Coordinates of all heavy atoms in Angstrom, one line a residue:
T1 N -35.2 -3.4 -3.7 CA -33.9 -3.1 -4.2 C -33.4 -1.8 -3.7 O -34.1 -0.8 -3.5 CB -33.9 -3.1 -5.8 OG1 -34.7 -2.0 -6.2 CG2 -34.4 -4.4 -6.3
S2 N -32.1 -1.8 -3.5 CA -31.5 -0.6 -2.9 C -30.9 0.3 -4.1 O -30.4 -0.2 -5.1 CB -30.3 -1.0 -2.0 OG -29.6 0.2 -1.6
S3 N -31.0 1.6 -3.9 CA -30.5 2.5 -5.0 C -29.1 3.1 -4.6 O -28.6 3.9 -5.3 CB -31.5 3.6 -5.2 OG -31.7 4.4 -4.0
R4 N -28.6 2.6 -3.5 CA -27.3 3.1 -3.0 C -26.2 2.5 -3.8 O -26.2 1.3 -4.1 CB -27.1 2.8 -1.5 CG -28.0 3.6 -0.6 CD -27.6 3.3 0.8 NE -28.5 4.0 1.6 CZ -28.4 4.0 2.9 NH1 -27.5 3.4 3.5 NH2 -29.3 4.7 3.7
Q5 N -25.2 3.3 -4.1 CA -24.0 2.8 -4.8 C -22.8 3.3 -4.0 O -22.9 4.4 -3.4 CB -23.9 3.4 -6.2 CG -25.0 2.8 -7.1 CD -24.8 3.3 -8.6 OE1 -24.1 4.3 -8.8 NE2 -25.4 2.6 -9.5
F6 N -21.8 2.5 -4.0 CA -20.6 2.8 -3.2 C -19.4 2.8 -4.2 O -19.3 2.0 -5.1 CB -20.4 1.9 -2.1 CG -21.4 1.9 -1.1 CD1 -22.5 1.1 -1.2 CD2 -21.3 2.7 0.0 CE1 -23.5 1.1 -0.2 CE2 -22.3 2.8 1.0 CZ -23.4 2.0 0.9
L7 N -18.4 3.7 -3.9 CA -17.1 3.6 -4.6 C -16.1 3.2 -3.6 O -15.9 3.9 -2.6 CB -16.8 5.0 -5.1 CG -15.4 5.2 -5.7 CD1 -15.3 4.3 -7.0 CD2 -15.1 6.6 -6.1
V8 N -15.5 2.1 -3.8 CA -14.4 1.5 -3.0 C -13.1 1.7 -3.7 O -12.9 1.1 -4.7 CB -14.7 0.1 -2.6 CG1 -13.5 -0.5 -1.7 CG2 -16.0 -0.1 -1.9
M9 N -12.2 2.4 -3.0 CA -10.8 2.6 -3.6 C -9.9 2.0 -2.6 O -10.0 2.1 -1.4 CB -10.5 4.1 -3.8 CG -11.5 4.7 -4.8 SD -11.1 6.3 -5.3 CE -9.7 6.0 -6.3
C10 N -8.9 1.3 -3.2 CA -7.9 0.6 -2.3 C -6.5 1.1 -2.6 O -6.1 1.3 -3.8 CB -8.0 -0.9 -2.7 SG -7.0 -2.0 -1.7
S11 N -5.8 1.3 -1.5 CA -4.3 1.6 -1.6 C -3.7 0.7 -0.6 O -4.3 0.2 0.3 CB -4.0 3.0 -1.4 OG -4.5 3.4 -0.1
F12 N -2.4 0.4 -0.8 CA -1.7 -0.6 0.1 C -0.2 -0.1 0.1 O 0.5 -0.1 -0.9 CB -1.8 -1.9 -0.6 CG -1.6 -3.1 0.3 CD1 -1.8 -4.4 -0.1 CD2 -1.1 -3.0 1.7 CE1 -1.6 -5.5 0.7 CE2 -0.9 -4.1 2.5 CZ -1.2 -5.4 2.0
F13 N 0.2 0.2 1.3 CA 1.6 0.6 1.5 C 2.2 0.0 2.7 O 1.5 -0.5 3.6 CB 1.8 2.2 1.5 CG 1.2 2.9 2.7 CD1 2.0 3.1 3.8 CD2 -0.1 3.3 2.8 CE1 1.5 3.7 5.0 CE2 -0.6 3.9 3.9 CZ 0.2 4.1 5.0
E14 N 3.5 0.1 2.8 CA 4.2 -0.4 4.0 C 5.3 0.6 4.4 O 5.8 1.4 3.5 CB 4.8 -1.8 3.9 CG 6.1 -1.9 3.0 CD 6.7 -3.2 3.0 OE1 6.4 -4.1 3.9 OE2 7.5 -3.5 2.1
I15 N 5.6 0.7 5.6 CA 6.8 1.5 6.1 C 7.9 0.6 6.4 O 7.7 -0.3 7.3 CB 6.3 2.4 7.3 CG1 5.2 3.2 6.9 CG2 7.5 3.2 7.8 CD1 4.6 4.0 8.1
Y16 N 9.0 0.7 5.7 CA 10.1 -0.2 5.9 C 11.4 0.7 6.1 O 11.7 1.5 5.2 CB 10.3 -1.1 4.7 CG 11.4 -2.1 4.7 CD1 11.4 -3.2 5.6 CD2 12.6 -1.9 3.9 CE1 12.5 -4.0 5.6 CE2 13.6 -2.7 4.0 CZ 13.6 -3.8 4.8 OH 14.7 -4.7 4.9
N17 N 12.0 0.5 7.2 CA 13.2 1.3 7.5 C 12.9 2.8 7.4 O 13.6 3.6 6.9 CB 14.4 1.0 6.6 CG 15.0 -0.3 7.0 OD1 14.9 -0.8 8.1 ND2 15.7 -0.9 6.1
E18 N 11.7 3.2 7.9 CA 11.2 4.5 8.0 C 11.0 5.1 6.6 O 10.9 6.4 6.4 CB 12.1 5.4 8.8 CG 12.3 4.9 10.2 CD 13.1 5.8 11.1 OE1 13.4 7.0 10.7 OE2 13.6 5.3 12.1
I19 N 10.8 4.3 5.6 CA 10.5 4.7 4.2 C 9.2 4.1 3.8 O 8.9 2.9 4.0 CB 11.6 4.3 3.2 CG1 13.0 4.9 3.7 CG2 11.3 4.8 1.8 CD1 14.2 4.4 2.9
I20 N 8.3 4.9 3.1 CA 7.0 4.5 2.7 C 7.1 3.9 1.3 O 7.6 4.6 0.4 CB 6.0 5.6 2.8 CG1 5.9 6.1 4.2 CG2 4.6 5.1 2.3 CD1 5.1 7.4 4.3
F21 N 6.6 2.7 1.1 CA 6.6 2.1 -0.2 C 5.2 1.7 -0.6 O 4.4 1.2 0.2 CB 7.5 0.8 -0.2 CG 8.9 1.0 0.0 CD1 9.5 0.9 1.3 CD2 9.7 1.5 -1.0 CE1 10.8 1.1 1.5 CE2 11.1 1.7 -0.8 CZ 11.6 1.5 0.4
D22 N 4.9 2.0 -1.9 CA 3.6 1.6 -2.5 C 3.6 0.2 -2.9 O 4.4 -0.2 -3.8 CB 3.3 2.5 -3.7 CG 1.9 2.3 -4.3 OD1 1.2 1.3 -4.0 OD2 1.5 3.2 -5.0
L23 N 2.8 -0.7 -2.3 CA 2.8 -2.1 -2.6 C 2.1 -2.5 -3.9 O 2.2 -3.6 -4.4 CB 2.3 -2.9 -1.5 CG 3.1 -2.8 -0.2 CD1 2.4 -3.6 0.9 CD2 4.5 -3.3 -0.4
F24 N 1.3 -1.5 -4.5 CA 0.7 -1.7 -5.8 C 1.6 -1.3 -6.9 O 1.4 -1.6 -8.1 CB -0.6 -1.0 -5.9 CG -1.7 -1.6 -5.1 CD1 -2.7 -0.8 -4.6 CD2 -1.8 -2.9 -4.8 CE1 -3.7 -1.3 -3.8 CE2 -2.8 -3.5 -4.0 CZ -3.8 -2.7 -3.6
N25 N 2.7 -0.5 -6.6 CA 3.6 0.0 -7.6 C 5.0 -0.1 -7.0 O 5.6 0.9 -6.7 CB 3.2 1.5 -7.9 CG 4.0 2.0 -9.1 OD1 4.6 1.2 -9.9 ND2 4.1 3.3 -9.2
P26 N 5.5 -1.3 -6.9 CA 6.8 -1.5 -6.2 C 8.0 -0.9 -7.0 O 8.0 -1.0 -8.2 CB 6.9 -3.0 -6.0 CG 6.1 -3.6 -7.1 CD 5.0 -2.6 -7.3
C27 N 8.9 -0.3 -6.3 CA 10.1 0.1 -7.0 C 11.1 -1.0 -7.1 O 11.1 -1.9 -6.3 CB 10.7 1.3 -6.3 SG 11.3 1.0 -4.7
A28 N 11.9 -1.0 -8.2 CA 12.8 -2.1 -8.4 C 13.9 -2.2 -7.4 O 14.4 -3.2 -7.0 CB 13.4 -2.0 -9.9
D29 N 14.4 -1.0 -7.0 CA 15.6 -1.0 -6.0 C 15.2 -0.1 -4.8 O 15.2 1.1 -4.9 CB 16.8 -0.4 -6.8 CG 18.0 -0.4 -5.9 OD1 17.9 -0.9 -4.7 OD2 19.1 0.1 -6.3
R30 N 14.8 -0.8 -3.7 CA 14.4 -0.1 -2.5 C 15.5 0.7 -1.9 O 15.3 1.6 -1.1 CB 13.8 -1.1 -1.5 CG 12.4 -1.5 -1.9 CD 11.8 -2.4 -0.8 NE 10.4 -2.6 -1.1 CZ 9.5 -2.7 -0.2 NH1 9.8 -2.7 1.1 NH2 8.3 -2.9 -0.5
S31 N 16.8 0.3 -2.2 CA 17.9 1.0 -1.5 C 18.2 2.3 -2.2 O 19.0 3.1 -1.7 CB 19.1 0.1 -1.5 OG 19.5 -0.2 -2.9
K32 N 17.6 2.6 -3.4 CA 17.9 3.8 -4.1 C 17.4 5.0 -3.3 O 16.3 5.0 -2.8 CB 17.2 3.7 -5.5 CG 17.6 4.9 -6.4 CD 17.0 4.7 -7.8 CE 15.5 5.1 -7.7 NZ 14.8 5.1 -9.0
L33 N 18.3 6.0 -3.2 CA 17.9 7.3 -2.5 C 16.7 7.9 -3.1 O 16.5 8.0 -4.4 CB 19.1 8.3 -2.6 CG 18.9 9.6 -1.8 CD1 18.8 9.3 -0.3 CD2 20.1 10.5 -2.1
G34 N 15.7 8.2 -2.3 CA 14.5 8.8 -2.8 C 13.5 7.8 -3.3 O 12.5 8.2 -4.0
A35 N 13.6 6.6 -3.0 CA 12.8 5.5 -3.6 C 11.4 5.5 -2.9 O 10.4 5.1 -3.5 CB 13.4 4.1 -3.4
G36 N 11.3 6.1 -1.7 CA 10.0 6.1 -1.0 C 9.1 7.2 -1.3 O 9.4 8.1 -2.0
L37 N 7.9 7.1 -0.7 CA 6.9 8.2 -0.9 C 6.9 9.1 0.3 O 7.5 8.8 1.3 CB 5.5 7.5 -1.0 CG 5.3 6.5 -2.2 CD1 3.9 5.9 -2.1 CD2 5.6 7.1 -3.5
Q38 N 6.2 10.2 0.1 CA 6.2 11.3 1.1 C 4.8 11.5 1.7 O 3.8 11.4 1.0 CB 6.7 12.6 0.6 CG 8.1 12.6 0.0 CD 8.4 14.0 -0.6 OE1 7.6 14.8 -0.9 NE2 9.7 14.2 -0.7
V39 N 4.8 11.7 3.0 CA 3.5 12.1 3.7 C 3.3 13.6 3.6 O 4.3 14.3 3.8 CB 3.5 11.6 5.2 CG1 2.3 12.1 5.9 CG2 3.7 10.1 5.3
K40 N 2.1 14.0 3.2 CA 1.8 15.4 3.0 C 0.6 15.7 3.7 O -0.2 14.9 4.1 CB 1.6 15.7 1.5 CG 2.8 15.5 0.6 CD 3.9 16.5 0.8 CE 5.0 16.4 -0.1 NZ 6.0 17.4 0.0
E41 N 0.3 17.0 3.9 CA -0.9 17.5 4.5 C -1.6 18.5 3.6 O -0.9 19.5 3.2 CB -0.6 18.1 5.9 CG -1.9 18.4 6.6 CD -1.7 18.8 8.1 OE1 -0.6 18.9 8.5 OE2 -2.7 19.1 8.8
H42 N -2.8 18.3 3.3 CA -3.6 19.2 2.5 C -4.6 19.9 3.4 O -5.2 19.3 4.2 CB -4.3 18.4 1.4 CG -5.0 19.2 0.4 ND1 -6.3 19.7 0.6 CD2 -4.6 19.7 -0.9 CE1 -6.7 20.4 -0.5 NE2 -5.7 20.4 -1.4
P43 N -4.9 21.2 3.2 CA -5.8 21.9 4.0 C -7.2 21.4 4.0 O -8.0 21.5 5.0 CB -5.8 23.4 3.5 CG -5.1 23.3 2.2 CD -4.3 22.1 2.2
V44 N -7.7 20.8 2.9 CA -9.0 20.2 2.8 C -9.0 18.7 3.0 O -9.8 18.1 3.7 CB -9.7 20.6 1.5 CG1 -11.0 20.0 1.4 CG2 -9.8 22.1 1.4
L45 N -8.1 18.0 2.3 CA -8.1 16.6 2.3 C -7.5 16.0 3.5 O -7.7 14.8 3.9 CB -7.4 16.1 1.1 CG -7.9 16.5 -0.3 CD1 -7.0 16.0 -1.4 CD2 -9.3 16.0 -0.5
G46 N -6.7 16.7 4.2 CA -6.0 16.2 5.4 C -4.7 15.5 5.0 O -4.0 15.9 4.0
I47 N -4.2 14.6 5.9 CA -3.0 13.9 5.7 C -3.1 12.8 4.6 O -4.1 12.1 4.7 CB -2.4 13.4 7.0 CG1 -2.2 14.5 8.0 CG2 -1.2 12.6 6.8 CD1 -1.8 14.2 9.4
Y48 N -2.1 12.7 3.7 CA -2.2 11.7 2.7 C -0.7 11.3 2.3 O 0.2 12.0 2.6 CB -3.0 12.2 1.5 CG -2.3 13.3 0.7 CD1 -1.6 13.1 -0.5 CD2 -2.4 14.6 1.2 CE1 -0.9 14.1 -1.1 CE2 -1.7 15.7 0.5 CZ -1.0 15.4 -0.7 OH -0.4 16.4 -1.3
V49 N -0.6 10.3 1.5 CA 0.7 9.8 1.0 C 0.7 10.2 -0.4 O 0.0 9.7 -1.3 CB 0.9 8.3 1.2 CG1 2.2 7.9 0.6 CG2 0.8 7.9 2.7
K50 N 1.7 11.1 -0.8 CA 1.8 11.7 -2.1 C 2.2 10.5 -3.1 O 3.1 9.7 -2.8 CB 2.8 12.8 -2.2 CG 3.0 13.4 -3.5 CD 4.0 14.5 -3.5 CE 4.2 15.1 -4.9 NZ 5.3 15.9 -5.0
D51 N 1.5 10.5 -4.2 CA 1.8 9.5 -5.3 C 1.4 8.1 -5.0 O 1.8 7.2 -5.7 CB 3.2 9.6 -5.8 CG 3.5 11.0 -6.4 OD1 2.6 11.6 -7.0 OD2 4.7 11.4 -6.3
L52 N 0.7 7.9 -3.9 CA 0.2 6.5 -3.5 C -0.9 6.1 -4.5 O -1.9 6.8 -4.6 CB -0.2 6.5 -2.1 CG -0.7 5.1 -1.6 CD1 0.4 4.1 -1.6 CD2 -1.3 5.2 -0.2
Q53 N -0.7 5.0 -5.2 CA -1.7 4.6 -6.1 C -3.0 4.1 -5.4 O -3.0 3.4 -4.4 CB -1.1 3.4 -6.9 CG -2.0 3.0 -8.1 CD -1.2 2.0 -9.0 OE1 -0.5 1.2 -8.5 NE2 -1.5 2.0 -10.3
E54 N -4.1 4.6 -6.0 CA -5.4 4.2 -5.5 C -6.1 3.5 -6.7 O -6.2 4.0 -7.8 CB -6.3 5.4 -5.1 CG -5.7 6.0 -3.8 CD -6.6 7.2 -3.4 OE1 -6.8 8.1 -4.2 OE2 -7.0 7.2 -2.2
I55 N -6.7 2.3 -6.4 CA -7.3 1.5 -7.4 C -8.7 1.2 -7.0 O -9.0 0.9 -5.9 CB -6.6 0.1 -7.6 CG1 -5.1 0.4 -8.1 CG2 -7.3 -0.7 -8.7 CD1 -4.2 -0.8 -8.1
V56 N -9.7 1.4 -8.0 CA -11.1 1.1 -7.7 C -11.3 -0.4 -7.6 O -10.9 -1.1 -8.5 CB -12.0 1.8 -8.8 CG1 -13.4 1.4 -8.6 CG2 -11.8 3.3 -8.8
A57 N -12.0 -0.8 -6.6 CA -12.3 -2.2 -6.4 C -13.8 -2.3 -6.8 O -14.7 -2.0 -6.0 CB -12.1 -2.7 -5.0
S58 N -14.1 -2.8 -7.9 CA -15.5 -2.9 -8.4 C -16.3 -3.9 -7.7 O -17.6 -3.8 -7.7 CB -15.5 -3.1 -10.0 OG -14.7 -4.2 -10.3
D59 N -15.7 -4.9 -7.2 CA -16.4 -6.0 -6.4 C -15.4 -6.6 -5.4 O -14.3 -6.3 -5.4 CB -17.0 -7.0 -7.4 CG -16.0 -7.6 -8.3 OD1 -14.8 -7.8 -7.9 OD2 -16.4 -8.0 -9.5
A60 N -16.0 -7.5 -4.6 CA -15.2 -8.2 -3.6 C -14.0 -9.0 -4.2 O -12.9 -9.0 -3.6 CB -16.1 -9.1 -2.7
E61 N -14.3 -9.6 -5.3 CA -13.2 -10.4 -5.9 C -12.0 -9.6 -6.3 O -10.9 -9.9 -6.1 CB -13.8 -11.2 -7.2 CG -12.8 -12.1 -7.8 CD -13.5 -12.8 -9.0 OE1 -14.6 -13.2 -8.9 OE2 -12.8 -13.0 -10.0
K62 N -12.3 -8.4 -6.9 CA -11.2 -7.5 -7.3 C -10.5 -7.0 -6.0 O -9.2 -6.9 -6.0 CB -11.8 -6.2 -8.0 CG -10.9 -5.2 -8.3 CD -9.8 -5.6 -9.4 CE -9.0 -4.4 -9.8 NZ -8.0 -4.8 -10.8
L63 N -11.2 -6.8 -4.9 CA -10.5 -6.3 -3.7 C -9.6 -7.4 -3.2 O -8.4 -7.1 -2.8 CB -11.6 -5.9 -2.6 CG -11.0 -5.4 -1.4 CD1 -10.2 -4.1 -1.6 CD2 -12.2 -5.1 -0.4
V64 N -10.0 -8.7 -3.2 CA -9.2 -9.8 -2.7 C -8.0 -9.9 -3.6 O -6.8 -10.1 -3.2 CB -10.0 -11.1 -2.7 CG1 -9.1 -12.3 -2.5 CG2 -11.1 -11.0 -1.6
Q65 N -8.2 -9.7 -5.0 CA -7.1 -9.8 -5.9 C -6.0 -8.7 -5.6 O -4.8 -8.9 -5.6 CB -7.6 -9.6 -7.3 CG -6.5 -9.6 -8.4 CD -7.1 -9.2 -9.8 OE1 -8.3 -8.7 -9.9 NE2 -6.3 -9.3 -10.8
L66 N -6.5 -7.5 -5.3 CA -5.6 -6.4 -5.0 C -4.8 -6.7 -3.7 O -3.6 -6.4 -3.7 CB -6.4 -5.1 -4.8 CG -6.9 -4.5 -6.1 CD1 -7.9 -3.4 -5.8 CD2 -5.8 -4.0 -7.0
M67 N -5.5 -7.2 -2.7 CA -4.8 -7.5 -1.5 C -3.7 -8.6 -1.7 O -2.6 -8.5 -1.1 CB -5.8 -7.9 -0.4 CG -6.8 -6.9 -0.1 SD -6.1 -5.3 0.4 CE -5.3 -5.6 1.9
H68 N -4.0 -9.6 -2.5 CA -3.0 -10.6 -2.7 C -1.8 -10.0 -3.5 O -0.7 -10.3 -3.2 CB -3.6 -11.8 -3.5 CG -4.5 -12.7 -2.7 ND1 -4.0 -13.4 -1.7 CD2 -5.8 -13.0 -2.8 CE1 -4.9 -14.2 -1.2 NE2 -6.0 -13.9 -1.8
S69 N -2.1 -9.2 -4.5 CA -1.1 -8.5 -5.3 C -0.2 -7.7 -4.4 O 1.1 -7.8 -4.5 CB -1.7 -7.6 -6.3 OG -0.7 -6.9 -7.0
G70 N -0.7 -6.9 -3.5 CA 0.1 -6.0 -2.6 C 0.9 -6.8 -1.6 O 2.0 -6.5 -1.3
T71 N 0.3 -7.9 -1.1 CA 0.9 -8.8 -0.1 C 2.2 -9.4 -0.7 O 3.2 -9.5 0.0 CB 0.0 -9.8 0.4 OG1 -1.2 -9.2 1.0 CG2 0.6 -10.7 1.4
K72 N 2.1 -9.7 -2.0 CA 3.3 -10.3 -2.6 C 4.5 -9.4 -2.6 O 5.7 -9.8 -2.7 CB 3.0 -10.8 -4.0 CG 2.1 -12.0 -4.1 CD 2.0 -12.6 -5.5 CE 1.3 -11.6 -6.4 NZ 1.1 -12.2 -7.7
N73 N 4.2 -8.1 -2.6 CA 5.3 -7.1 -2.7 C 5.8 -6.6 -1.3 O 6.7 -5.7 -1.3 CB 4.8 -5.9 -3.5 CG 4.6 -6.2 -4.9 OD1 5.3 -7.0 -5.5 ND2 3.5 -5.7 -5.5
R74 N 5.3 -7.2 -0.2 CA 5.8 -6.8 1.1 C 7.2 -7.3 1.3 O 7.6 -8.3 0.8 CB 4.9 -7.4 2.2 CG 3.5 -6.8 2.2 CD 2.6 -7.4 3.3 NE 3.2 -7.3 4.6 CZ 3.3 -8.3 5.4 NH1 2.9 -9.5 5.1 NH2 3.8 -8.1 6.6
A75 N 7.9 -6.6 2.2 CA 9.3 -7.0 2.6 C 9.2 -8.0 3.7 O 8.7 -7.7 4.8 CB 10.1 -5.8 3.0
V76 N 9.5 -9.2 3.4 CA 9.5 -10.3 4.4 C 10.8 -11.0 4.4 O 11.5 -11.0 3.4 CB 8.3 -11.3 4.2 CG1 7.0 -10.6 4.4 CG2 8.4 -11.9 2.8
S77 N 11.1 -11.7 5.6 CA 12.3 -12.4 5.7 C 12.0 -13.5 6.8 O 11.2 -13.3 7.7 CB 13.5 -11.5 6.1 OG 14.6 -12.3 6.1
S78 N 12.8 -14.6 6.8 CA 12.6 -15.6 7.8 C 13.3 -15.3 9.1 O 14.3 -14.6 9.1 CB 13.0 -16.9 7.2 OG 14.4 -16.9 7.0
T79 N 12.7 -15.7 10.2 CA 13.3 -15.6 11.5 C 13.2 -17.0 12.1 O 12.6 -17.9 11.5 CB 12.6 -14.6 12.4 OG1 11.2 -15.1 12.7 CG2 12.5 -13.2 11.8
L80 N 13.8 -17.2 13.2 CA 13.7 -18.5 13.9 C 12.3 -18.9 14.3 O 11.9 -20.0 14.3 CB 14.6 -18.5 15.1 CG 16.1 -18.4 14.9 CD1 16.9 -18.3 16.2 CD2 16.6 -19.6 14.0
M81 N 11.4 -17.9 14.5 CA 10.1 -18.1 15.0 C 9.1 -18.1 13.8 O 8.0 -18.6 13.9 CB 9.7 -17.1 16.0 CG 10.5 -17.1 17.3 SD 10.2 -18.7 18.2 CE 8.5 -18.3 18.8
N82 N 9.4 -17.4 12.7 CA 8.4 -17.2 11.7 C 9.1 -17.1 10.3 O 9.9 -16.3 10.1 CB 7.7 -15.8 12.0 CG 6.6 -15.5 11.0 OD1 6.4 -16.2 10.0 ND2 5.8 -14.5 11.4
S83 N 8.7 -18.0 9.4 CA 9.3 -18.1 8.1 C 9.0 -17.0 7.2 O 9.7 -16.8 6.2 CB 9.0 -19.5 7.4 OG 7.6 -19.5 7.2
V84 N 7.9 -16.2 7.4 CA 7.6 -15.1 6.6 C 7.3 -13.9 7.4 O 6.3 -13.2 7.3 CB 6.3 -15.4 5.7 CG1 6.7 -16.4 4.6 CG2 5.2 -15.9 6.5
S85 N 8.2 -13.6 8.3 CA 8.1 -12.4 9.2 C 8.1 -11.1 8.4 O 8.9 -10.9 7.6 CB 9.2 -12.5 10.2 OG 9.1 -11.3 11.1
S86 N 7.2 -10.2 8.8 CA 7.2 -8.9 8.1 C 8.4 -8.1 8.5 O 8.8 -8.1 9.7 CB 5.9 -8.1 8.5 OG 6.0 -6.8 8.1
R87 N 9.0 -7.4 7.6 CA 10.1 -6.6 7.8 C 9.7 -5.1 8.0 O 10.5 -4.2 8.2 CB 11.2 -6.6 6.7 CG 11.7 -8.0 6.5 CD 12.6 -8.5 7.7 NE 11.8 -9.2 8.7 CZ 12.2 -9.4 9.9 NH1 13.3 -8.9 10.4 NH2 11.4 -10.0 10.8
S88 N 8.4 -4.8 7.8 CA 7.9 -3.5 7.9 C 7.3 -3.2 9.2 O 7.1 -4.1 10.1 CB 6.8 -3.3 6.8 OG 5.7 -4.1 7.0
H89 N 7.0 -1.9 9.5 CA 6.5 -1.5 10.8 C 5.1 -1.0 10.6 O 4.7 -0.4 9.6 CB 7.3 -0.3 11.4 CG 8.7 -0.7 11.5 ND1 9.2 -1.6 12.3 CD2 9.8 -0.2 10.8 CE1 10.5 -1.7 12.2 NE2 10.9 -0.8 11.3

């Protein structure tokens, strides 16, 4: 038996029209001024996204659930080639 334990934290964001959005905590009106998150730099932690939600994934099932939840909040639209084309970069 292994005595190693791991902490897996998950965050999910997209950059849409040069604005960062938290896909675990979607805002109701993306067009609202100041709706996006900010990229910051910390002297010890390095570069991070301020106020980006991080959720502990206790097992693989929870991680899959989180990914499905975040994916539902992505900005998508249909194109001639792809019915669910991503609108983010």
Side-chain angles (χ1 to χ4, degrees):
T1 64
S2 175
S3 61
R4 291 186 185 184
Q5 293 185 344
F6 297 90
L7 174 64
V8 177
M9 299 189 71
C10 184
S11 58
F12 200 174
F13 70 90
E14 76 175 340
I15 302 172
Y16 178 73
N17 286 337
E18 300 182 20
I19 302 172
I20 301 170
F21 294 100
D22 186 342
L23 295 178
F24 289 150
N25 188 21
C27 62
D29 185 2
R30 286 186 170 213
S31 65
K32 188 175 80 173
L33 184 63
L37 303 177
Q38 297 177 343
V39 174
K40 298 287 188 177
E41 186 170 3
H42 187 276
V44 175
L45 302 174
I47 297 172
Y48 68 100
V49 178
K50 183 180 179 192
D51 298 327
L52 181 65
Q53 189 172 32
E54 293 181 304
I55 301 173
V56 173
S58 54
D59 55 32
E61 184 177 322
K62 176 68 174 181
L63 186 58
V64 170
Q65 176 190 11
L66 289 169
M67 298 308 292
H68 284 297
S69 172
T71 300
K72 286 192 295 187
N73 294 320
R74 290 177 60 229
V76 295
S77 182
S78 64
T79 66
L80 293 176
M81 297 293 288
N82 185 347
S83 63
V84 288
S85 177
S86 172
R87 301 289 92 202
S88 61
H89 305 294

